[in-house]
Amino acid sequence: MGEFSIVATINDRKLLKSIEMSGASAIRFNSSHVSLEELQKFISYYEDNCTLPMYIDLQGAKLRLSRSQPIMEVKAGEQIVLGCQSSQLRSIAVDPRTLSYLSPGMRVSIEDGRIELQVLKLEADFARAMVLRGGVIRPAKGMNISPHPINQIELSSRDSDIVLATKKYGFVRYALSFVSSPSEVIELKELSGREVASKIERELPFSRIEEISASSDEIWFCRGDLGAQLGARGLVDFYTFFSDNLRKLYKPVLMAGEVLEHMVDHPFATRSELCHLKDIQRQGFGGVVLSNETAYGSFPIESIKTVLEVTSDE
């Protein structure tokens, strides 16, 4: 079957060497959670301490909470404010662009649907919402509105600044979020001169995915945002269709999103996760992207070793 890639997401440089030694193929670092200065410091450290390729994840058209958002827990039934500080209700910080897409009755999910809100009322500079599914709000976490409202045709100024500051490093690659057209990928490749993984995070016609794949070096099928966008049945239908056709893409395709979610908090995977991992390998996926398992989980090394054990040809 060939080598099965393991891209391990990291946010703590102290784990870098142990993750490299455990058998990861590459490292992913999400640029949305740090300042440009912090990213540059991390890469400088990386250059001296790791030999693996590094994917810098660019925000692209993905909607996110503010990086200044304080950590707080919200509970089902609670009313909150989106967009500005409130003296009466707790607030979730989002930018004006995000507010412009909201309307009463719309559902908004945060962090791949772990938290769900319903918009109640719009005002000039904020929206009032009800918490339908509670959880812990964290800075820079992704938001989803279905259908996704942005078709971005060029890199944002922040993403461009990140590329210009980091493309000089030979180990750097880029992963671009919410790709919707090959033009985004072509622009990024021309600007960076580096390999690009295109993240499929919304439902697209397969002909469009083929066009994106032709301009990309890899495709990542990202179930987290897709699930938040499409719901349970919609995700399953799109995943089934995509899997049946992925060999037409002629590029490595990696599975991302809750691959071994149980191992975020436990030292072992569920039997369903183990069997599914082998199934996606047999379907033709060339690897996986571990996210919370290695970035925030309690058992990052065990997660990588589990993937190696299940997918090894030996």
Side-chain angles (χ1 to χ4, degrees):
M1 294 183 185
E3 182 181 354
F4 195 76
S5 299
I6 304 171
V7 179
T9 305
I10 189 171
N11 67 358
D12 184 353
R13 67 185 194 181
K14 294 177 182 178
L15 289 174
L16 193 56
K17 184 55 66 175
S18 59
I19 284 181
E20 179 181 17
M21 296 300 292
S22 67
S25 311
I27 300 294
R28 170 181 171 257
F29 188 83
N30 195 335
S31 65
S32 299
H33 296 284
V34 297
S35 67
L36 181 56
E37 181 181 359
E38 289 169 330
L39 175 61
Q40 289 174 310
K41 287 180 179 178
F42 182 86
I43 292 179
S44 180
Y45 177 87
Y46 193 101
E47 184 178 32
D48 296 332
N49 292 276
C50 190
T51 62
L52 296 178
M54 174 186 177
Y55 289 91
I56 298 176
D57 202 310
L58 301 174
Q59 182 167 331
K62 187 178 180 76
L63 299 174
R64 288 189 177 274
L65 303 183
S66 168
R67 289 195 299 280
S68 63
Q69 169 67 43
I71 296 175
M72 67 181 195
E73 183 176 5
V74 295
K75 297 182 178 181
E78 177 183 0
Q79 288 194 29
I80 52 92
V81 164
L82 293 167
C84 73
Q85 294 297 317
S86 169
S87 59
Q88 297 178 327
L89 300 173
R90 293 196 293 168
S91 304
I92 298 176
V94 299
D95 62 33
R97 179 186 69 164
T98 300
L99 282 178
S100 70
Y101 301 132
L102 301 181
S103 59
M106 181 177 286
R107 293 199 176 192
V108 177
S109 64
I110 298 172
E111 197 175 351
D112 296 342
R114 290 177 174 85
I115 298 166
E116 188 171 7
L117 317 172
Q118 184 168 30
V119 179
L120 301 176
K121 185 179 181 182
L122 295 181
E123 301 292 350
D125 58 352
F126 69 91
R128 188 185 296 263
M130 174 75 73
V131 179
L132 301 180
R133 182 185 300 120
V136 177
I137 302 287
R138 295 183 175 86
K141 285 298 183 181
M143 291 182 63
N144 269 285
I145 303 168
S146 184
H148 190 77
I150 305 172
N151 286 312
Q152 188 161 300
I153 58 173
E154 59 184 20
L155 292 177
S156 68
S157 58
R158 185 173 191 272
D159 283 347
S160 295
D161 288 345
I162 289 171
V163 171
L164 291 173
T166 59
K167 68 177 185 177
K168 63 184 178 181
Y169 297 97
F171 54 84
V172 163
R173 305 172 181 179
Y174 298 97
L176 185 59
S177 300
F178 271 91
V179 176
S180 61
S181 72
S183 62
E184 300 166 69
V185 184
I186 293 169
E187 181 190 5
L188 176 54
K189 289 180 72 72
E190 289 178 347
L191 180 64
S192 67
R194 297 291 175 195
E195 294 183 21
V196 172
S198 292
K199 298 169 66 179
I200 304 303
E201 303 187 83
R202 69 177 106 183
E203 187 175 20
L204 298 170
F206 200 79
S207 59
R208 179 84 59 80
I209 297 175
E210 289 180 294
E211 293 172 356
I212 292 168
S213 177
S215 302
S216 308
D217 298 283
E218 287 181 354
I219 295 292
W220 291 2
F221 186 85
C222 301
R223 292 183 299 193
D225 283 287
L226 280 165
Q229 291 271 316
L230 301 176
R233 182 54 190 260
L235 171 63
V236 169
D237 289 345
F238 185 55
Y239 162 72
T240 301
F241 176 76
F242 180 91
S243 299
D244 288 345
N245 290 277
L246 68 83
R247 294 182 189 274
K248 298 177 182 178
L249 299 178
Y250 302 108
K251 296 290 173 67
V253 181
L254 276 62
M255 174 69 77
E258 299 185 354
V259 176
L260 297 175
E261 184 71 9
H262 192 69
M263 293 194 74
V264 173
D265 299 308
H266 303 88
F268 50 85
T270 66
R271 288 162 178 79
S272 294
E273 288 172 335
L274 296 174
C275 294
H276 180 56
L277 184 56
K278 192 63 180 181
D279 282 342
I280 65 173
Q281 183 187 28
R282 291 171 62 86
Q283 286 172 333
F285 284 88
V288 294
V289 182
L290 300 179
S291 299
N292 286 346
E293 298 96 330
T294 52
Y296 301 104
S298 302
F299 304 97
I301 308 308
E302 292 86 347
S303 297
I304 294 169
K305 290 183 176 180
T306 296
V307 177
L308 287 170
E309 179 183 1
V310 171
T311 61
S312 173
D313 290 335
E314 298 178 0

